[in-house]
Amino acid sequence: MFRFTVRGTVWVVLYLLFILAPLFAMLLGTMPPARSFWTEFSVALGYAGLAMMCLQFGLVARFRHVTAPWGEDVIYHFHRKISLVAVALVVAHPIILFVTRPELLELLNFVQAPWRARFAAISTYSLIALVVMALWRTKIRLPYDIWHITHIVLAVVAVVAGVAHMVGWSFYLDDPFKRGLWIALVVFWVGLLVYVRIIKPLFLLRRPYRVAEVRAEHGETTTLVMRPDGHAGFRFTPGQFGWLTLFGSPFQITSHPFSFSSSAEAVDGRVEMSIRNLGDFTQHVRKVQPGQRVYLDGPYGAFTIGNPADMHVLIAGGIGITPMMSMIRTLADRGDKRPVVLFYGGKDWDSHAFREELEALKSRLDLKVVHVLAKAPPGWTGEQGFITAELFKRHLPPPFAEHEYFICGPDVMMDAIEAVLASLGVPMHKYHSERYSFV
Ligand SMILES: Cc1cc2nc3c(=O)[nH]c(=O)nc-3n(C[C@H](O)[C@H](O)[C@H](O)COP(=O)(O)OP(=O)(O)OC[C@H]3O[C@@H](n4cnc5c(N)ncnc54)[C@H](O)[C@@H]3O)c2cc1C
Protein backbone atom coordinates (compact mmCIF):
# COMPACT_ATOMS: atom_id res chain seq x y z
CA MET A 1 0.00 0.00 0.00
CA PHE A 2 2.74 2.45 1.08
CA ARG A 3 4.89 1.39 -1.90
CA PHE A 4 1.98 2.07 -4.28
CA THR A 5 1.22 5.46 -2.69
CA VAL A 6 4.85 6.56 -3.07
CA ARG A 7 4.95 5.28 -6.64
CA GLY A 8 1.64 7.03 -7.38
CA THR A 9 2.93 10.34 -5.98
CA VAL A 10 6.14 10.06 -8.02
CA TRP A 11 4.13 9.54 -11.21
CA VAL A 12 1.84 12.50 -10.48
CA VAL A 13 4.89 14.74 -9.98
CA LEU A 14 6.42 13.39 -13.20
CA TYR A 15 3.15 14.02 -15.05
CA LEU A 16 3.12 17.68 -13.97
CA LEU A 17 6.80 17.97 -14.84
CA PHE A 18 6.21 16.62 -18.36
CA ILE A 19 3.50 19.23 -18.93
CA LEU A 20 5.17 22.22 -17.35
CA ALA A 21 8.86 21.63 -18.19
CA PRO A 22 8.47 22.22 -21.97
CA LEU A 23 6.51 25.38 -21.15
CA PHE A 24 9.14 26.74 -18.77
CA ALA A 25 11.90 25.76 -21.22
CA MET A 26 10.52 28.58 -23.39
CA LEU A 27 11.76 31.05 -20.78
CA LEU A 28 15.37 29.89 -21.06
CA GLY A 29 18.00 31.64 -23.23
CA THR A 30 17.15 34.58 -25.42
CA MET A 31 13.57 35.75 -25.21
CA PRO A 32 11.63 37.33 -28.07
CA PRO A 33 10.15 40.81 -27.37
CA ALA A 34 7.26 40.72 -24.88
CA ARG A 35 3.70 40.91 -26.21
CA SER A 36 0.46 41.74 -24.46
CA PHE A 37 -0.52 39.72 -21.35
CA TRP A 38 -3.46 38.04 -23.14
CA THR A 39 -1.36 37.01 -26.11
CA GLU A 40 1.29 35.45 -23.88
CA PHE A 41 -1.34 33.85 -21.65
CA SER A 42 -3.17 32.31 -24.60
CA VAL A 43 0.11 30.98 -26.02
CA ALA A 44 0.99 29.41 -22.66
CA LEU A 45 -2.41 27.68 -22.60
CA GLY A 46 -1.84 26.35 -26.12
CA TYR A 47 1.60 24.98 -25.20
CA ALA A 48 0.31 23.34 -22.02
CA GLY A 49 -2.68 21.85 -23.88
CA LEU A 50 -0.43 20.37 -26.54
CA ALA A 51 1.97 18.93 -23.94
CA MET A 52 -1.02 17.26 -22.26
CA MET A 53 -2.22 15.85 -25.58
CA CYS A 54 1.24 14.37 -26.14
CA LEU A 55 1.16 12.71 -22.76
CA GLN A 56 -2.13 11.01 -23.64
CA PHE A 57 -0.12 8.63 -25.86
CA GLY A 58 1.95 7.59 -22.83
CA LEU A 59 -1.11 6.93 -20.66
CA VAL A 60 -2.51 4.27 -22.97
CA ALA A 61 0.80 2.70 -24.00
CA ARG A 62 0.17 -0.13 -21.48
CA PHE A 63 3.28 0.43 -19.40
CA ARG A 64 2.69 -1.83 -16.43
CA HIS A 65 4.88 0.23 -14.06
CA VAL A 66 2.98 3.41 -14.87
CA THR A 67 -0.48 1.94 -14.42
CA ALA A 68 0.17 -0.41 -11.48
CA PRO A 69 -0.40 2.10 -8.64
CA TRP A 70 -3.90 2.96 -9.92
CA GLY A 71 -5.16 0.20 -12.16
CA GLU A 72 -5.86 0.34 -15.87
CA ASP A 73 -9.50 1.44 -15.54
CA VAL A 74 -8.46 4.49 -13.49
CA ILE A 75 -5.77 5.40 -16.03
CA TYR A 76 -8.24 5.16 -18.93
CA HIS A 77 -10.74 7.21 -16.95
CA PHE A 78 -8.04 9.83 -16.35
CA HIS A 79 -7.09 9.71 -20.06
CA ARG A 80 -10.73 10.46 -20.94
CA LYS A 81 -11.26 13.23 -18.40
CA ILE A 82 -7.91 14.97 -18.79
CA SER A 83 -8.42 15.12 -22.56
CA LEU A 84 -11.31 17.53 -21.89
CA VAL A 85 -8.94 19.82 -19.97
CA ALA A 86 -6.31 19.57 -22.73
CA VAL A 87 -8.84 20.38 -25.44
CA ALA A 88 -10.24 23.28 -23.39
CA LEU A 89 -6.72 24.74 -23.10
CA VAL A 90 -6.03 24.29 -26.81
CA VAL A 91 -9.36 25.83 -27.83
CA ALA A 92 -8.97 28.70 -25.33
CA HIS A 93 -5.75 29.69 -27.12
CA PRO A 94 -7.37 30.94 -30.39
CA ILE A 95 -10.52 32.16 -28.64
CA ILE A 96 -8.53 34.51 -26.37
CA LEU A 97 -6.51 35.70 -29.37
CA PHE A 98 -9.62 36.36 -31.49
CA VAL A 99 -11.33 38.25 -28.67
CA THR A 100 -8.33 40.41 -27.78
CA ARG A 101 -7.03 40.84 -31.34
CA PRO A 102 -10.02 40.68 -33.72
CA GLU A 103 -7.76 41.35 -36.73
CA LEU A 104 -6.57 37.73 -36.35
CA LEU A 105 -10.07 36.48 -37.24
CA GLU A 106 -9.09 36.60 -40.90
CA LEU A 107 -6.82 33.59 -40.19
CA LEU A 108 -10.01 31.54 -40.02
CA ASN A 109 -10.21 31.78 -43.80
CA PHE A 110 -8.60 28.41 -44.50
CA VAL A 111 -7.98 29.11 -48.20
CA GLN A 112 -6.11 32.38 -47.74
CA ALA A 113 -4.51 31.78 -44.35
CA PRO A 114 -0.80 30.92 -44.20
CA TRP A 115 0.13 27.28 -43.53
CA ARG A 116 1.02 27.93 -39.90
CA ALA A 117 -2.60 29.04 -39.31
CA ARG A 118 -3.96 26.16 -41.39
CA PHE A 119 -2.05 23.72 -39.18
CA ALA A 120 -3.62 25.33 -36.12
CA ALA A 121 -7.08 24.86 -37.64
CA ILE A 122 -6.35 21.22 -38.60
CA SER A 123 -5.08 20.49 -35.09
CA THR A 124 -8.02 22.16 -33.33
CA TYR A 125 -10.70 20.60 -35.55
CA SER A 126 -9.11 17.15 -35.19
CA LEU A 127 -9.10 17.53 -31.43
CA ILE A 128 -12.72 18.59 -31.33
CA ALA A 129 -13.73 15.69 -33.61
CA LEU A 130 -11.73 13.30 -31.43
CA VAL A 131 -13.46 14.40 -28.23
CA VAL A 132 -16.94 14.47 -29.76
CA MET A 133 -16.49 10.93 -31.12
CA ALA A 134 -15.12 9.66 -27.82
CA LEU A 135 -17.96 11.18 -25.81
CA TRP A 136 -20.78 10.15 -28.11
CA ARG A 137 -19.41 6.93 -29.67
CA THR A 138 -22.14 4.71 -28.25
CA LYS A 139 -24.93 7.27 -28.87
CA ILE A 140 -24.01 7.56 -32.57
CA ARG A 141 -23.61 3.76 -32.67
CA LEU A 142 -20.09 3.87 -34.03
CA PRO A 143 -18.61 0.34 -33.99
CA TYR A 144 -15.73 0.14 -31.50
CA ASP A 145 -13.09 -0.93 -34.07
CA ILE A 146 -13.85 1.96 -36.45
CA TRP A 147 -13.86 4.43 -33.58
CA HIS A 148 -10.54 3.08 -32.31
CA ILE A 149 -8.73 3.53 -35.66
CA THR A 150 -10.24 6.99 -36.17
CA HIS A 151 -9.26 7.95 -32.64
CA ILE A 152 -5.60 7.08 -33.26
CA VAL A 153 -5.47 8.88 -36.63
CA LEU A 154 -7.12 12.03 -35.26
CA ALA A 155 -4.80 12.08 -32.24
CA VAL A 156 -1.66 11.86 -34.40
CA VAL A 157 -2.95 14.51 -36.83
CA ALA A 158 -3.88 16.85 -33.95
CA VAL A 159 -0.51 16.63 -32.24
CA VAL A 160 1.66 16.75 -35.39
CA ALA A 161 -0.34 19.67 -36.85
CA GLY A 162 -0.14 21.40 -33.46
CA VAL A 163 3.65 21.30 -33.38
CA ALA A 164 3.82 22.27 -37.08
CA HIS A 165 1.76 25.34 -36.17
CA MET A 166 4.13 26.21 -33.31
CA VAL A 167 7.24 25.74 -35.41
CA GLY A 168 5.65 27.63 -38.33
CA TRP A 169 4.80 30.59 -36.10
CA SER A 170 8.37 30.38 -34.76
CA PHE A 171 7.95 33.13 -32.17
CA TYR A 172 9.28 31.20 -29.19
CA LEU A 173 10.60 28.32 -31.29
CA ASP A 174 12.92 30.54 -33.32
CA ASP A 175 15.67 29.37 -31.03
CA PRO A 176 16.95 26.04 -32.52
CA PHE A 177 17.29 24.50 -29.04
CA LYS A 178 13.67 25.21 -28.13
CA ARG A 179 12.45 24.13 -31.56
CA GLY A 180 14.44 20.89 -31.27
CA LEU A 181 13.05 20.27 -27.80
CA TRP A 182 9.43 20.51 -28.89
CA ILE A 183 9.91 18.46 -32.04
CA ALA A 184 11.76 15.79 -30.01
CA LEU A 185 8.94 15.78 -27.49
CA VAL A 186 6.28 15.14 -30.11
CA VAL A 187 8.42 12.54 -31.91
CA PHE A 188 8.94 10.75 -28.58
CA TRP A 189 5.27 10.61 -27.59
CA VAL A 190 3.93 9.81 -31.02
CA GLY A 191 6.83 7.31 -31.31
CA LEU A 192 5.21 5.38 -28.46
CA LEU A 193 2.66 4.37 -31.06
CA VAL A 194 5.47 2.58 -32.89
CA TYR A 195 6.26 0.76 -29.66
CA VAL A 196 2.63 -0.17 -28.98
CA ARG A 197 1.72 -1.04 -32.56
CA ILE A 198 4.94 -2.62 -33.88
CA ILE A 199 7.51 -3.51 -31.22
CA LYS A 200 5.12 -4.94 -28.64
CA PRO A 201 3.19 -7.01 -31.23
CA LEU A 202 6.54 -8.38 -32.48
CA PHE A 203 7.23 -9.54 -28.94
CA LEU A 204 3.76 -11.09 -28.64
CA LEU A 205 4.16 -12.82 -32.00
CA ARG A 206 7.08 -14.76 -30.56
CA ARG A 207 5.02 -15.82 -27.52
CA PRO A 208 1.76 -17.25 -28.85
CA TYR A 209 -0.79 -19.32 -26.96
CA ARG A 210 -2.93 -22.26 -28.10
CA VAL A 211 -6.52 -22.85 -27.11
CA ALA A 212 -6.49 -26.15 -25.23
CA GLU A 213 -10.19 -26.35 -24.42
CA VAL A 214 -13.42 -24.45 -25.08
CA ARG A 215 -16.01 -24.78 -22.30
CA ALA A 216 -19.60 -23.61 -22.45
CA GLU A 217 -20.78 -22.00 -19.17
CA HIS A 218 -24.19 -20.82 -18.03
CA GLY A 219 -25.30 -17.37 -19.14
CA GLU A 220 -24.05 -17.30 -22.74
CA THR A 221 -20.48 -17.52 -21.47
CA THR A 222 -17.58 -19.44 -22.99
CA THR A 223 -14.37 -20.29 -21.18
CA LEU A 224 -11.20 -20.48 -23.25
CA VAL A 225 -8.42 -22.50 -21.69
CA MET A 226 -5.12 -21.33 -23.22
CA ARG A 227 -1.60 -22.72 -22.92
CA PRO A 228 1.68 -21.04 -23.83
CA ASP A 229 3.05 -22.40 -27.09
CA GLY A 230 6.82 -22.82 -26.91
CA HIS A 231 7.46 -20.53 -23.92
CA ALA A 232 6.79 -20.43 -20.19
CA GLY A 233 3.93 -17.90 -20.24
CA PHE A 234 3.53 -15.28 -17.55
CA ARG A 235 2.42 -15.24 -13.91
CA PHE A 236 -0.54 -13.13 -12.86
CA THR A 237 -2.21 -12.30 -9.58
CA PRO A 238 -5.91 -13.17 -9.23
CA GLY A 239 -8.15 -10.33 -10.41
CA GLN A 240 -5.81 -9.15 -13.15
CA PHE A 241 -6.67 -9.16 -16.84
CA GLY A 242 -5.05 -9.48 -20.25
CA TRP A 243 -5.66 -8.20 -23.78
CA LEU A 244 -6.75 -11.03 -26.06
CA THR A 245 -6.24 -11.22 -29.82
CA LEU A 246 -8.33 -14.15 -30.88
CA PHE A 247 -8.50 -13.81 -34.63
CA GLY A 248 -5.54 -12.56 -36.66
CA SER A 249 -2.14 -11.31 -35.58
CA PRO A 250 -1.12 -9.09 -32.65
CA PHE A 251 -0.54 -6.30 -35.21
CA GLN A 252 -4.24 -5.72 -35.59
CA ILE A 253 -5.39 -2.48 -34.01
CA THR A 254 -8.00 -3.79 -31.60
CA SER A 255 -7.53 -6.45 -28.96
CA HIS A 256 -10.08 -7.07 -26.18
CA PRO A 257 -9.56 -6.97 -22.41
CA PHE A 258 -10.71 -9.96 -20.32
CA SER A 259 -10.05 -10.90 -16.70
CA PHE A 260 -8.28 -14.17 -16.05
CA SER A 261 -10.83 -16.51 -14.50
CA SER A 262 -8.47 -19.36 -13.64
CA SER A 263 -6.36 -19.92 -10.56
CA ALA A 264 -3.12 -17.98 -10.46
CA GLU A 265 -1.47 -21.08 -9.03
CA ALA A 266 -1.43 -23.02 -12.32
CA VAL A 267 2.19 -24.09 -12.79
CA ASP A 268 2.15 -24.76 -16.53
CA GLY A 269 1.41 -21.15 -17.58
CA ARG A 270 -2.20 -22.10 -18.41
CA VAL A 271 -4.70 -19.23 -18.26
CA GLU A 272 -8.44 -19.15 -18.69
CA MET A 273 -10.75 -16.35 -19.77
CA SER A 274 -14.52 -16.61 -19.48
CA ILE A 275 -16.25 -14.47 -22.05
CA ARG A 276 -19.91 -13.50 -22.19
CA ASN A 277 -21.57 -13.09 -25.57
CA LEU A 278 -22.31 -9.37 -25.51
CA GLY A 279 -21.46 -7.99 -28.94
CA ASP A 280 -19.65 -7.96 -32.28
CA PHE A 281 -16.51 -9.71 -31.08
CA THR A 282 -17.68 -11.80 -28.14
CA GLN A 283 -20.43 -13.50 -30.17
CA HIS A 284 -17.71 -15.37 -32.13
CA VAL A 285 -15.88 -16.76 -29.10
CA ARG A 286 -18.03 -19.87 -28.82
CA LYS A 287 -16.99 -20.86 -32.39
CA VAL A 288 -13.32 -21.07 -31.41
CA GLN A 289 -11.80 -24.53 -31.89
CA PRO A 290 -9.17 -26.18 -29.67
CA GLY A 291 -5.73 -25.81 -31.23
CA GLN A 292 -6.35 -22.24 -32.44
CA ARG A 293 -3.41 -19.89 -32.01
CA VAL A 294 -4.16 -16.75 -29.96
CA TYR A 295 -2.15 -13.89 -28.45
CA LEU A 296 -2.27 -12.60 -24.89
CA ASP A 297 -0.82 -9.33 -23.66
CA GLY A 298 -0.71 -9.22 -19.88
CA PRO A 299 -1.03 -9.28 -17.01
CA TYR A 300 -2.48 -5.85 -16.22
CA GLY A 301 -4.50 -4.28 -13.44
CA ALA A 302 -4.32 -3.49 -9.73
CA PHE A 303 -7.57 -5.27 -8.80
CA THR A 304 -5.96 -8.07 -6.83
CA ILE A 305 -6.11 -9.80 -3.50
CA GLY A 306 -2.95 -9.83 -1.43
CA ASN A 307 -3.66 -7.28 1.31
CA PRO A 308 -3.88 -8.66 4.83
CA ALA A 309 -7.60 -9.11 5.50
CA ASP A 310 -9.65 -11.00 8.05
CA MET A 311 -12.28 -11.69 5.41
CA HIS A 312 -12.56 -11.23 1.65
CA VAL A 313 -15.92 -9.92 0.52
CA LEU A 314 -16.36 -10.36 -3.23
CA ILE A 315 -19.24 -8.57 -4.94
CA ALA A 316 -19.90 -9.56 -8.55
CA GLY A 317 -22.54 -8.42 -10.99
CA GLY A 318 -23.09 -10.47 -14.18
CA ILE A 319 -19.86 -11.30 -15.96
CA GLY A 320 -17.99 -9.39 -13.21
CA ILE A 321 -17.83 -12.89 -11.63
CA THR A 322 -14.71 -13.79 -13.67
CA PRO A 323 -12.02 -12.07 -11.55
CA MET A 324 -13.80 -13.37 -8.43
CA MET A 325 -13.57 -16.93 -9.78
CA SER A 326 -9.84 -16.44 -10.18
CA MET A 327 -9.58 -15.15 -6.60
CA ILE A 328 -11.68 -18.00 -5.14
CA ARG A 329 -9.91 -20.72 -7.15
CA THR A 330 -6.52 -19.29 -6.16
CA LEU A 331 -7.40 -19.05 -2.46
CA ALA A 332 -8.65 -22.67 -2.61
CA ASP A 333 -5.43 -23.83 -4.30
CA ARG A 334 -3.40 -22.02 -1.66
CA GLY A 335 -5.36 -23.66 1.16
CA ASP A 336 -6.28 -20.20 2.52
CA LYS A 337 -8.27 -20.55 5.76
CA ARG A 338 -9.79 -17.04 5.89
CA PRO A 339 -13.53 -16.69 5.22
CA VAL A 340 -14.67 -15.54 1.78
CA VAL A 341 -18.18 -14.23 1.15
CA LEU A 342 -19.31 -13.88 -2.46
CA PHE A 343 -22.34 -11.73 -3.29
CA TYR A 344 -23.26 -12.69 -6.83
CA GLY A 345 -25.91 -10.53 -8.50
CA GLY A 346 -27.44 -11.40 -11.86
CA LYS A 347 -30.58 -11.01 -13.86
CA ASP A 348 -31.80 -14.61 -13.41
CA TRP A 349 -30.68 -18.08 -12.34
CA ASP A 350 -29.74 -19.13 -15.88
CA SER A 351 -27.23 -16.30 -16.13
CA HIS A 352 -25.29 -17.39 -13.03
CA ALA A 353 -22.16 -18.96 -14.52
CA PHE A 354 -19.97 -21.25 -12.38
CA ARG A 355 -22.73 -21.86 -9.80
CA GLU A 356 -22.08 -25.64 -9.57
CA GLU A 357 -18.32 -25.13 -9.21
CA LEU A 358 -18.91 -22.51 -6.51
CA GLU A 359 -20.94 -25.09 -4.57
CA ALA A 360 -18.11 -27.61 -4.93
CA LEU A 361 -15.47 -25.05 -3.86
CA LYS A 362 -17.20 -24.69 -0.49
CA SER A 363 -15.58 -27.99 0.51
CA ARG A 364 -12.09 -26.55 -0.15
CA LEU A 365 -12.31 -23.18 1.59
CA ASP A 366 -14.47 -21.23 4.02
CA LEU A 367 -16.75 -19.89 1.27
CA LYS A 368 -20.26 -18.50 1.55
CA VAL A 369 -22.08 -17.67 -1.70
CA VAL A 370 -25.09 -15.34 -1.70
CA HIS A 371 -26.85 -15.42 -5.06
CA VAL A 372 -28.98 -12.32 -5.63
CA LEU A 373 -31.41 -12.53 -8.53
CA ALA A 374 -33.16 -9.61 -10.17
CA LYS A 375 -35.78 -12.02 -11.56
CA ALA A 376 -36.20 -15.01 -9.26
CA PRO A 377 -37.81 -18.28 -10.48
CA PRO A 378 -40.95 -19.58 -8.72
CA GLY A 379 -40.09 -21.15 -5.36
CA TRP A 380 -36.78 -19.23 -5.00
CA THR A 381 -36.00 -18.80 -1.32
CA GLY A 382 -32.71 -16.91 -1.72
CA GLU A 383 -32.03 -13.20 -2.03
CA GLN A 384 -33.63 -11.14 -4.76
CA GLY A 385 -33.60 -7.55 -6.01
CA PHE A 386 -30.45 -5.46 -5.59
CA ILE A 387 -27.40 -5.72 -3.35
CA THR A 388 -28.14 -3.31 -0.52
CA ALA A 389 -26.84 -2.31 2.92
CA GLU A 390 -29.53 -4.55 4.52
CA LEU A 391 -28.29 -7.50 2.48
CA PHE A 392 -24.73 -6.90 3.71
CA LYS A 393 -25.97 -6.64 7.29
CA ARG A 394 -27.83 -9.97 6.92
CA HIS A 395 -24.80 -11.88 5.64
CA LEU A 396 -21.65 -10.18 6.97
CA PRO A 397 -20.40 -10.06 10.52
CA PRO A 398 -19.52 -6.61 11.89
CA PRO A 399 -17.30 -4.62 12.02
CA PHE A 400 -17.76 -4.02 8.28
CA ALA A 401 -14.75 -1.72 8.10
CA GLU A 402 -12.42 -4.62 8.89
CA HIS A 403 -13.13 -6.66 5.73
CA GLU A 404 -11.54 -6.22 2.33
CA TYR A 405 -14.12 -5.65 -0.46
CA PHE A 406 -13.76 -6.36 -4.19
CA ILE A 407 -16.41 -5.11 -6.61
CA CYS A 408 -16.82 -5.85 -10.31
CA GLY A 409 -19.96 -5.49 -12.38
CA PRO A 410 -22.00 -3.02 -14.40
CA ASP A 411 -21.19 0.64 -13.70
CA VAL A 412 -24.57 1.44 -12.09
CA MET A 413 -24.24 -1.46 -9.72
CA MET A 414 -20.68 -0.53 -8.79
CA ASP A 415 -21.63 3.10 -8.10
CA ALA A 416 -24.52 1.93 -5.90
CA ILE A 417 -22.37 -0.53 -3.94
CA GLU A 418 -19.57 1.98 -3.38
CA ALA A 419 -22.21 4.32 -1.89
CA VAL A 420 -23.57 1.49 0.29
CA LEU A 421 -20.09 0.64 1.60
CA ALA A 422 -19.42 4.30 2.39
CA SER A 423 -22.74 4.41 4.31
CA LEU A 424 -21.58 1.38 6.33
CA GLY A 425 -18.44 3.24 7.32
CA VAL A 426 -16.06 1.19 5.16
CA PRO A 427 -13.02 3.37 4.40
CA MET A 428 -12.16 3.79 0.72
CA HIS A 429 -8.86 1.96 0.95
CA LYS A 430 -10.78 -1.14 2.00
CA TYR A 431 -12.66 -1.50 -1.25
CA HIS A 432 -11.28 -2.18 -4.68
CA SER A 433 -13.11 -2.09 -7.95
CA GLU A 434 -12.57 -3.03 -11.56
CA ARG A 435 -14.65 -1.32 -14.21
CA TYR A 436 -15.27 -3.12 -17.48
CA SER A 437 -16.00 0.15 -19.26
CA PHE A 438 -12.63 1.60 -20.30
CA VAL A 439 -14.03 3.43 -23.30
C1 LIG B 1 -10.49 -4.86 -17.50
C2 LIG B 1 -11.64 -5.53 -18.24
C3 LIG B 1 -11.88 -6.87 -18.00
C4 LIG B 1 -12.93 -7.51 -18.64
N1 LIG B 1 -13.17 -8.83 -18.38
C5 LIG B 1 -14.18 -9.45 -18.98
C6 LIG B 1 -14.43 -10.85 -18.73
O1 LIG B 1 -13.74 -11.50 -17.94
N2 LIG B 1 -15.44 -11.43 -19.42
C7 LIG B 1 -16.23 -10.74 -20.30
O2 LIG B 1 -17.12 -11.34 -20.90
N3 LIG B 1 -16.03 -9.41 -20.53
C8 LIG B 1 -15.02 -8.77 -19.92
N4 LIG B 1 -14.79 -7.44 -20.19
C9 LIG B 1 -15.66 -6.75 -21.14
C10 LIG B 1 -15.21 -7.08 -22.56
O3 LIG B 1 -13.91 -6.57 -22.82
C11 LIG B 1 -16.18 -6.46 -23.56
O4 LIG B 1 -17.45 -6.96 -23.31
C12 LIG B 1 -15.82 -6.85 -24.96
O5 LIG B 1 -14.58 -6.30 -25.34
C13 LIG B 1 -16.93 -6.35 -25.87
O6 LIG B 1 -16.57 -6.61 -27.20
P1 LIG B 1 -17.69 -6.82 -28.33
O7 LIG B 1 -17.08 -6.39 -29.61
O8 LIG B 1 -18.23 -8.19 -28.27
O9 LIG B 1 -18.86 -5.87 -27.91
P2 LIG B 1 -19.32 -4.51 -28.53
O10 LIG B 1 -20.81 -4.54 -28.50
O11 LIG B 1 -18.65 -4.19 -29.80
O12 LIG B 1 -18.79 -3.51 -27.44
C14 LIG B 1 -19.47 -3.33 -26.24
C15 LIG B 1 -18.68 -2.35 -25.42
O13 LIG B 1 -17.49 -3.01 -24.94
C16 LIG B 1 -16.40 -2.10 -24.96
N5 LIG B 1 -15.36 -2.64 -25.86
C17 LIG B 1 -15.54 -3.22 -27.05
N6 LIG B 1 -14.37 -3.58 -27.58
C18 LIG B 1 -13.43 -3.19 -26.70
C19 LIG B 1 -12.01 -3.25 -26.68
N7 LIG B 1 -11.33 -3.80 -27.67
N8 LIG B 1 -11.35 -2.73 -25.62
C20 LIG B 1 -12.02 -2.16 -24.60
N9 LIG B 1 -13.36 -2.08 -24.55
C21 LIG B 1 -14.06 -2.58 -25.59
C22 LIG B 1 -16.91 -0.79 -25.49
O14 LIG B 1 -17.26 0.06 -24.42
C23 LIG B 1 -18.14 -1.18 -26.24
O15 LIG B 1 -19.08 -0.14 -26.30
C24 LIG B 1 -13.73 -6.79 -19.57
C25 LIG B 1 -13.48 -5.44 -19.82
C26 LIG B 1 -12.44 -4.82 -19.16
C27 LIG B 1 -12.17 -3.37 -19.44
Side-chain angles (χ1 to χ4, degrees), residues 262-266 270 327-336 361 364-365:
S262 49
S263 166
E265 291 297 306
R270 177 174 54 94
M327 293 177 187
I328 294 170
R329 286 165 166 163
T330 306
L331 290 170
D333 285 349
R334 287 179 187 163
D336 201 291
L361 278 161
R364 295 182 55 207
L365 78 168

Side-chain angles (χ1 to χ4, degrees), residues 13 108 182 186 218 227 263 278 304 311 352 377 385 394 420 424:
V13 170
L108 283 175
W182 269 91
V186 171
H218 294 295
R227 285 213 165 83
S263 166
L278 287 173
T304 61
M311 173 185 274
H352 274 223
R394 272 202 293 281
V420 164
L424 291 175

Side-chain angles (χ1 to χ4, degrees), residues 137 144 254-259 274 276 279 281-282 322 436 439:
R137 174 181 61 86
Y144 180 87
T254 302
S255 51
H256 291 257
F258 296 103
S259 302
S274 302
R276 182 152 286 178
F281 168 80
T282 46
T322 55
Y436 278 3
V439 280

Side-chain angles (χ1 to χ4, degrees), residues 274-352:
S274 302
I275 300 171
R276 182 152 286 178
N277 175 1
L278 287 173
D280 298 343
F281 168 80
T282 46
Q283 64 178 323
H284 299 294
V285 174
R286 68 179 104 174
K287 298 179 210 148
V288 170
Q289 294 296 318
Q292 183 173 321
R293 180 175 279 213
V294 298
Y295 298 93
L296 277 179
D297 181 14
Y300 292 100
F303 182 67
T304 61
I305 48 176
N307 305 316
D310 69 336
M311 173 185 274
H312 288 108
V313 181
L314 314 180
I315 306 153
I319 197 59
I321 187 66
T322 55
M324 313 307 183
M325 284 309 292
S326 180
M327 293 177 187
I328 294 170
R329 286 165 166 163
T330 306
L331 290 170
D333 285 349
R334 287 179 187 163
D336 201 291
K337 296 280 175 277
R338 289 169 295 175
V340 178
V341 181
L342 169 69
F343 292 92
Y344 186 1
K347 64 177 185 332
D348 54 31
W349 191 229
D350 281 345
S351 70
H352 274 223

Side-chain angles (χ1 to χ4, degrees), residues 133-199:
M133 284 170 80
L135 289 178
W136 286 288
R137 174 181 61 86
T138 43
K139 288 224 169 58
I140 56 179
R141 292 174 188 274
L142 196 60
Y144 180 87
D145 294 16
I146 294 175
W147 166 79
H148 194 186
I149 294 170
T150 321
H151 191 73
I152 294 172
V153 172
L154 285 174
V156 173
V157 170
V159 167
V160 172
V163 84
H165 160 68
M166 285 158 59
V167 171
W169 212 268
S170 91
F171 188 76
Y172 280 109
L173 299 192
D174 215 16
D175 181 329
F177 161 74
K178 295 176 190 173
R179 193 165 55 238
L181 177 92
W182 269 91
I183 292 176
L185 201 73
V186 171
V187 168
F188 171 74
W189 290 116
V190 177
L192 280 183
L193 266 185
V194 177
Y195 165 76
V196 175
R197 299 289 154 203
I198 297 173
I199 298 172

Side-chain angles (χ1 to χ4, degrees), residues 23 35-48 89 92-93 96-97 172:
L23 186 63
R35 296 171 294 185
S36 76
F37 166 78
W38 286 112
T39 302
E40 298 297 351
F41 179 63
S42 82
V43 170
L45 294 185
Y47 273 100
L89 293 181
H93 164 59
I96 294 176
L97 284 179
Y172 280 109

